[in-house]
Amino acid sequence: MRKKLITAIITATLLIAGCSDTANVSAGQENTMVLVESGQEYLIYADNDTGVMYLYITISTGGGLTVMLNADGTPKIWQGEE
């Protein structure tokens, strides 16, 4: 009985305290990525600091994120507005 009570208290504490997706974000870091291009099933983002481009694929059952690479294997760098 005591173990169940302790488990319930810990669970309730975790539910009340919760987690925030911005808990570890410093001021000014909310927009670290810029949307470069989007299509029906994809989004291309670029990191504001490094310019490295990322491809996000969206499908009905989930999605995936990957770094975009040049032909030589180096990360593709966004050059800004075209």
Side-chain angles (χ1 to χ4, degrees), residues 25-32:
V25 176
S26 300
Q29 287 186 328
E30 296 87 17
N31 298 317
T32 59

Side-chain angles (χ1 to χ4, degrees), residues 34-38 44-46 53 78:
V34 61
L35 179 62
V36 174
E37 185 179 327
S38 64
I44 297 176
Y45 289 97
M53 297 174 71
W78 185 52

Side-chain angles (χ1 to χ4, degrees), residues 32-79:
T32 59
M33 303 289 269
V34 61
L35 179 62
V36 174
E37 185 179 327
S38 64
Q40 186 173 356
E41 296 180 345
Y42 74 93
L43 300 164
I44 297 176
Y45 289 97
D47 184 289
N48 280 332
D49 296 330
T50 63
V52 173
M53 297 174 71
Y54 298 88
L55 173 65
Y56 179 72
I57 299 291
T58 58
I59 55 175
S60 61
T61 58
L65 182 74
T66 188
V67 174
M68 294 179 70
L69 301 175
N70 294 315
D72 63 357
T74 59
K76 187 172 180 86
I77 306 296
W78 185 52
Q79 301 301 322

